[in-house]
């Protein structure tokens, strides 16, 4: 078992956008418990400060409670737990679309996962977000989505092929959103990064 799914408390309208494997390890972060029934899963751990929901009693699982006065967000607490358990992949759901500060904090948490050498992604009904560092990678085309590559570091040097707008050893800066709203023209987009770190974002062209 190598996959962990973490549920945050941001609103989710449609639970059919992703299928969670039956053997996945599930952590509900605080009010993320509200999504358990929607996805039809049982939690393995529930954790948080429970300042936005009641401590649940209907689940037979480990419940970890923290004081509200803490440095880590509930999502970060859940991520640190997943990392300590040795998961290879961490999927975060219910972390975007609500408070803007929470969305930014979720992206920073995604970078924390990356810096610890683990694959991480944030999903919602309309977007999927990844982080890529130096090296080559391929991303499967989805003609229903825009494909954006945005620098996380002050500058990144990137080559992009298989898309409508291609780059060759081009410098993209964190202070300018070059790389937004690209489109697939081949079966895969190929990205090579020789410097820096970027966000890879799939965004639906027609928002649900």
């Amino acid at each position: 078992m190598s996959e962990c799914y973490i549920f945050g408390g941001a609103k989710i309208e449609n639970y059919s956008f992703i299928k969670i494997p039956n053997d996945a390890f599930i952590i509900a972060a605080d009010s993320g418990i509200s999504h358990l029934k929607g996805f039809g899963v049982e939690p393995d751990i529930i954790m948080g400060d429970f300042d936005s929901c009641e401590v649940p009693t209907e689940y037979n699982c480990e419940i970890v409670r923290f004081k509200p006065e803490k440095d880590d967000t509930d999502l970060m607490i859940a991520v640190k737990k997943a990392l300590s358990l040795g998961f290879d992949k961490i999927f975060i759901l219910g972390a975007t679309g609500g408070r803007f500060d929470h969305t930014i904090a979720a992206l920073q948490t995604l970078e924390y996962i990356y810096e610890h050498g683990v694959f991480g992604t944030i999903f919602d009904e309309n977007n999927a977000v990844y982080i890529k560092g130096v090296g080559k990678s391929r991303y499967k085309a989805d003609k229903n989505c825009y494909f954006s590559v945005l620098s996380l570091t002050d500058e990144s040097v990137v080559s992009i092929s298989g898309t409508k707008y291609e780059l060759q050893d081009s410098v993209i800066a964190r202070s300018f959103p070059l790389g937004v709203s690209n489109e697939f023209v081949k079966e895969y987009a190929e990205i090579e990064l020789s410097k820096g770190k970027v966000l890879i974002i799939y965004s639906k062209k027609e928002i649900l």
Side-chain angles (χ1 to χ4, degrees):
M1 182 173 60
S2 63
E3 296 184 355
C4 179
Y5 286 74
I6 297 175
F7 298 164
K11 189 175 182 180
I12 297 176
E13 297 282 358
N14 175 11
Y15 291 97
S16 65
F17 69 91
I18 187 171
K19 181 170 177 56
I20 297 176
N22 292 332
D23 63 347
F25 194 90
I26 306 296
I27 300 177
D30 204 74
S31 56
I33 59 175
S34 64
H35 301 312
L36 293 169
K37 290 183 172 62
F39 284 113
V41 295
E42 292 286 323
D44 293 283
I45 302 176
I46 296 172
M47 55 200 324
D49 55 26
F50 300 104
D51 62 345
S52 56
C53 66
E54 297 293 328
V55 179
T57 58
E58 66 267 39
Y59 296 108
N60 183 25
C61 69
E62 180 183 0
I63 297 177
V64 182
R65 187 168 188 174
F66 295 86
K67 292 181 179 180
E69 298 80 12
K70 61 189 188 310
D71 291 332
D72 290 340
T73 63
D74 292 320
L75 178 60
M76 180 61 85
I77 288 172
V79 163
K80 286 183 174 180
K81 181 65 174 180
L83 291 172
S84 74
L85 293 173
F87 288 101
D88 299 322
K89 297 179 180 179
I90 298 175
F91 300 87
I92 298 174
L93 311 172
T96 57
R99 282 175 46 179
F100 191 65
D101 57 341
H102 283 179
T103 297
I104 297 299
L107 290 173
Q108 291 179 323
T109 303
L110 185 65
E111 190 169 8
Y112 183 88
I113 295 170
Y114 173 85
E115 293 295 339
H116 282 75
V118 172
F119 173 85
T121 182
I122 294 174
F123 279 109
D124 62 30
E125 294 107 308
N126 300 302
N127 306 280
V129 184
Y130 312 87
I131 291 177
K132 173 182 167 37
V134 171
K136 296 181 180 180
S137 56
R138 303 174 80 200
Y139 296 88
K140 189 173 182 180
D142 186 338
K143 296 300 179 64
N144 296 314
C145 289
Y146 292 110
F147 182 73
S148 298
V149 180
L150 302 172
S151 186
L152 267 177
T153 45
D154 288 342
E155 288 186 347
S156 296
V157 179
V158 61
S159 297
I160 304 174
S161 60
T163 55
K164 183 177 180 179
Y165 306 103
E166 297 191 333
L167 296 175
Q168 182 63 44
D169 293 326
S170 297
V171 176
I172 61 174
R174 182 165 53 189
S175 58
F176 188 79
L178 180 68
V180 73
S181 299
N182 209 340
E183 298 183 63
F184 296 99
V185 295
K186 295 184 179 179
E187 186 177 356
Y188 288 91
E190 297 189 351
I191 295 179
E192 182 174 2
L193 206 68
S194 58
K195 175 186 176 182
K197 188 165 47 181
V198 295
L199 283 173
I200 305 291
I201 306 172
Y202 286 75
S203 294
K204 287 189 180 297
K205 294 179 178 180
E206 295 185 11
I207 300 298
L208 297 174

